[in-house]
Amino acid sequence: MSNLLIPKRIRSVYESTISLMRILHINQKDIAGGAAIAAHRLHQGLLQRNIDSRFLVNRKETNDDRVSLIPPASRTEKRIQRFTDPFGLTQIHLLSTFNLRQHPAYRSADVINFHNLHDGYFNYLAIAHLTQNKPTVLTLHDMWSITGHCSFSFGCDRWKIGCGHCPDLEIFPPMKRDRTRWEWKLKQWTYQRANLTIVAPSRWLASVARNSPLFQHFAVHHIPYGINTDIYQPLDPEYCRTQLNIPKEKKVLLFVATQLQEWRKGGDLLFAALQQLPESLKAETVLLMLGEGSIEDTGIEAISLGYVQDEHLKAIAYSAADLFVFPTRADNLPLVLQESLACGTPMISCDVGGVSDLVRSGVTGYLAKPEDITDFAQGIVMLLEDEGRRSRMKQQCRAIALSEYRLDLQAQRYLELYFDISSFYW
């Protein structure tokens, strides 16, 4: 919904009162990790609109006085956990989640915005209780809210029929015994009593949510993540390579992941694809990596900057690269692809999840078949050897970032949704 589409009779009410709205985001962290970074960017976008936006988190990584802590688990809850966890009933020992309604941050909020509710800090059975008297948005960052335990199902469709007989209990967050059917049913029980509006950042995840039996009575909205396009913008490549001690004549591939060896992010696939590159191309290429760990030697000179949190340094790395390579196996709307897009760096990734929202073949990069190492390698060769095509893609990447993914656009879309679901103004 655009501000221009709001009926004239209520537009003045919207414009005069929107700045009074108080938003509370609930997440496991305030900044570290993909979901936390995405939520924090939304928080910053709202603050830029003079909206009172705050966080309630399990783990605080910043000194922001707008971030409050969820009380830690009590001794009684930890005793209960000794019995519930071995049976695969994770998080339901956290009875104190029901008490969040008494927290000052919750009580003062007009709208609640849930983000990631897994990772062992939140009892999902309290969702109905916490949404009884507060309009609430649930922003999906993965599939966990609609499955019996996993954050990504990797092609398994049992979430459509109630889970059970899980093919992989080790997918994050792992489960010790197969109680996926029970967890799915418990989520169904609490959702049937909850007042939620669902937001999905990618078209893929919006489609998944609309096809979930658990969300059939909820409205599902597609609102992409926003990014600060003043920080993430194209910088002079020669300057950036000088800053990173990369020879100017080299071709540069960039790979970014919190853990470079994480299976879901495809570090092993990248290693195999790079091995297939012609030796002549390997000799003139540098692999730049941001993240903890390493990948195996591919015969290509490698430079690792380790885990980088500073956004200006990340923008330098993206701008130094000719191509961003990201052979992910499952993802929603990867922030690293969005960052590359905003910096005008063409991308090569795999056609999974919401990746195709950002990587548009022939426009912003190359979209390889999932798990197809040869296809991925061919995409690298094709784009590295065609400077004219890369130049056009650079311009198209930046144009799409500005037209579709600016932070102010995301903030505006959320504000309109908050206004729409809230009775605060009526």
Side-chain angles (χ1 to χ4, degrees), residues 40 46 83 137 140 176 197 232 330 334 340 348 355 359-360 392 395 422:
H40 193 264
L46 294 172
F83 296 96
V137 171
L140 303 177
K176 294 183 179 180
T197 298
Y232 290 96
S340 183
I348 299 179
V355 168
V359 183
R360 306 172 190 181
R392 292 190 296 273
Q395 296 178 11
S422 178

Side-chain angles (χ1 to χ4, degrees), residues 25-71:
H25 304 276
I26 297 180
N27 195 42
Q28 76 272 40
K29 303 173 188 175
D30 56 341
I31 190 65
I37 292 172
H40 193 264
R41 287 175 179 172
L42 171 60
H43 168 66
Q44 292 295 321
L46 294 172
L47 292 177
Q48 290 173 13
R49 300 290 298 269
N50 296 316
I51 302 300
D52 187 350
S53 176
R54 298 178 183 272
F55 266 98
L56 188 57
V57 300
N58 175 59
R59 187 170 139 195
K60 185 175 179 179
E61 303 285 346
T62 68
N63 295 320
D64 190 345
D65 60 5
R66 290 181 172 272
V67 180
S68 302
L69 281 169
I70 294 173

Side-chain angles (χ1 to χ4, degrees), residues 14-266:
Y14 172 86
E15 292 174 347
S16 63
T17 60
I18 194 69
S19 63
L20 300 176
M21 186 175 284
R22 294 164 294 187
I23 310 300
L24 177 65
H25 304 276
I26 297 180
N27 195 42
Q28 76 272 40
K29 303 173 188 175
D30 56 341
I31 190 65
I37 292 172
H40 193 264
R41 287 175 179 172
L42 171 60
H43 168 66
Q44 292 295 321
L46 294 172
L47 292 177
Q48 290 173 13
R49 300 290 298 269
N50 296 316
I51 302 300
D52 187 350
S53 176
R54 298 178 183 272
F55 266 98
L56 188 57
V57 300
N58 175 59
R59 187 170 139 195
K60 185 175 179 179
E61 303 285 346
T62 68
N63 295 320
D64 190 345
D65 60 5
R66 290 181 172 272
V67 180
S68 302
L69 281 169
I70 294 173
S74 66
R75 290 183 179 179
T76 299
E77 290 172 320
K78 291 178 180 178
R79 292 191 188 102
I80 296 172
Q81 185 180 14
R82 292 206 301 265
F83 296 96
T84 56
D85 273 13
F87 284 94
L89 298 175
T90 58
Q91 303 189 198
I92 66 171
H93 65 283
L94 295 167
L95 304 179
S96 56
T97 303
F98 288 86
N99 297 330
L100 290 182
R101 279 180 57 165
Q102 307 307 316
H103 195 287
Y106 177 93
R107 295 179 67 177
S108 65
D110 299 307
V111 176
I112 307 298
N113 197 148
F114 291 142
H115 293 274
N116 266 4
L117 299 182
H118 52 68
D119 211 11
Y121 79 101
F122 186 94
N123 186 342
Y124 57 86
L125 296 180
I127 289 175
H129 180 69
L130 295 175
T131 62
Q132 282 180 359
N133 63 344
K134 298 279 187 181
T136 305
V137 171
L138 170 59
T139 297
L140 303 177
H141 299 277
D142 54 35
M143 293 179 65
W144 179 84
S145 294
I146 64 167
T147 71
H149 95 93
C150 62
S151 54
F152 288 97
S153 68
F154 294 96
C156 173
D157 286 338
R158 297 194 64 78
W159 54 271
K160 295 180 180 179
I161 59 172
C163 288
H165 303 290
C166 180
D168 191 348
L169 294 176
E170 294 300 316
I171 297 174
F172 180 83
M175 181 177 279
K176 294 183 179 180
R177 296 178 64 179
D178 191 351
R179 294 294 184 262
T180 55
R181 178 68 174 173
W182 291 13
E183 183 168 307
W184 193 96
K185 281 290 188 181
L186 288 171
K187 288 177 180 177
Q188 182 182 51
W189 178 88
T190 194
Y191 292 153
Q192 287 174 344
R193 292 158 177 79
N195 174 25
L196 286 173
T197 298
I198 309 300
V199 169
S202 67
R203 292 180 176 88
W204 162 77
L205 194 51
S207 176
V208 168
R210 292 181 182 121
N211 284 294
S212 168
L214 299 182
F215 285 171
Q216 59 186 348
H217 60 293
F218 295 141
V220 177
H221 301 263
H222 169 229
I223 303 179
Y225 293 140
I227 187 168
N228 188 327
T229 52
D230 292 329
I231 294 176
Y232 290 96
Q233 61 173 302
L235 304 173
D236 178 61
E238 290 193 7
Y239 164 81
C240 294
R241 293 184 182 194
T242 299
Q243 293 298 306
L244 301 175
N245 295 317
I246 299 173
K248 297 177 183 179
E249 70 278 3
K250 290 279 190 175
K251 292 181 170 65
V252 181
L253 300 176
L254 173 65
F255 176 52
V256 180
T258 302
Q259 297 289 338
L260 297 175
Q261 294 174 318
E262 183 184 350
W263 182 82
R264 183 168 69 86
K265 299 300 182 181

